[in-house]
């Protein structure tokens, strides 16, 4: 999503629900990015709300015409990292909840506990899994994924195609894929 100066002003004033559109567009992505770092659904939900407060308060720092996906993902990642640092400073042991994540809203449901997702997690390494999920589920471009993961776009595309190849090969062996 690209924003003009006029649109940024509308968001600051929350005219015509302009901020609601950003929230609805990026909620799942923000929660997913945070959950991948904190591994706790309750913390991820709280931090997701914090991210949108920061987005609203820092909308003036957004460069008109730039890609909002990368900007919001960066805020989400930094918020989660700050949370983990503060949690680590409070205790020497960080508890991580290893339960699967699920997202749901009125329009559709994504549940990471379904059979295909479990299979993907066993076949792919963490980076490949994240690239595939961001590309296929969130429909992000390789450039956006590369920006979000602080990687080279060529490296991300290569990881994606290698991961797809691994999935096809493995699923063909198990008759999941024709």
């Amino acid at each position: 999503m690209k924003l003009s100066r006029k649109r940024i002003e509308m968001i600051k004033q929350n005219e015509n629900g302009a901020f609601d559109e950003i929230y609805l567009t990026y909620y799942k992505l923000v929660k997913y990015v945070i959950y991948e770092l904190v591994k706790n659904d309750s913390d991820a939900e709280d931090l997701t709300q914090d991210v949108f407060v920061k987005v609203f308060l820092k909308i003036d720092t957004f460069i008109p015409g730039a890609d909002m996906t990368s900007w919001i993902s960066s805020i989400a990642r930094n918020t989660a990292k700050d949370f983990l640092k503060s949690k680590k400073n409070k205790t020497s042991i960080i508890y991580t909840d290893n339960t699967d994540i699920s997202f749901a809203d009125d329009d559709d449901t994504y549940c990471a506990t379904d059979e295909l997702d479990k299979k993907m997690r066993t076949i792919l390494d963490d980076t490949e899994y994240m690239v595939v999920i961001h590309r296929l589920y969130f429909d992000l471009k390789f450039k956006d994924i590369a920006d979000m993961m602080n990687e080279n776009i060529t490296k991300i595309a290569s990881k994606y195609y290698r991961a797809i190849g691994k999935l096809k090969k493995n699923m063909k062996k198990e008759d999941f894929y024709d």
Side-chain angles (χ1 to χ4, degrees):
M1 176 184 286
K2 308 251 185 208
L3 297 177
S4 64
R5 286 224 179 270
K6 182 179 179 184
R7 189 80 172 140
I8 291 171
E9 285 303 315
M10 288 176 67
I11 291 168
K12 286 176 18 184
Q13 303 302 319
N14 202 19
E15 292 177 21
N16 301 325
F19 188 76
D20 295 343
E21 180 183 349
I22 289 174
Y23 181 84
L24 294 172
T25 302
Y26 293 103
Y27 174 82
K28 287 181 189 179
L29 174 64
V30 168
K31 186 169 179 189
Y32 182 81
V33 167
I34 291 171
Y35 182 85
E36 284 300 309
L37 290 168
V38 301
K39 303 292 189 207
N40 180 290
D41 198 46
S42 177
D43 289 338
E45 183 64 38
D46 291 343
L47 293 171
T48 297
Q49 299 309 315
D50 292 347
V51 166
F52 284 103
V53 169
K54 288 178 183 180
V55 167
F56 184 77
L57 295 174
K58 295 181 178 189
I59 197 69
D60 285 335
T61 66
F62 181 75
I63 300 166
D67 183 44
M68 180 154 270
T69 301
S70 299
W71 186 67
I72 288 180
S73 296
S74 178
I75 294 171
R77 216 177 23 263
N78 291 336
T79 300
K81 286 177 182 178
D82 290 345
F83 170 78
L84 290 173
K85 283 180 195 173
S86 72
K87 194 171 184 179
K88 186 176 184 179
N89 289 338
K90 290 179 185 175
T91 62
S92 58
I93 299 171
I94 297 176
Y95 172 76
T96 58
D97 181 46
N98 291 325
T99 58
D100 289 328
I101 186 170
S102 62
F103 301 106
D105 66 11
D106 295 337
D107 298 308
D108 58 47
T109 302
Y110 166 77
C111 184
T113 58
D114 52 59
E115 186 179 340
L116 179 60
D117 189 78
K118 285 181 182 178
K119 193 69 171 165
M120 284 175 46
R121 285 185 184 268
T122 61
I123 297 168
L124 305 175
D125 66 38
D126 291 340
T127 305
E128 291 170 334
Y129 175 81
M130 290 212 26
V131 170
V132 169
I133 290 296
H134 284 95
R135 179 77 176 137
L136 297 179
Y137 180 69
F138 295 115
D139 198 29
L140 295 180
K141 293 178 173 45
F142 289 133
K143 181 188 180 316
D144 297 331
I145 298 168
D147 290 346
M148 188 173 65
M149 296 177 79
N150 295 323
E151 287 282 349
N152 179 310
I153 189 169
T154 307
K155 201 176 212 180
I156 293 297
S158 174
K159 286 179 189 261
Y160 173 77
Y161 290 115
R162 191 174 331 127
I164 294 299
K166 281 173 139 177
L167 291 171
K168 284 181 178 180
K169 181 179 177 182
N170 191 285
M171 291 180 179
K172 192 171 194 174
K173 285 180 187 176
E174 298 183 19
D175 292 328
F176 283 121
Y177 177 78
D178 291 327

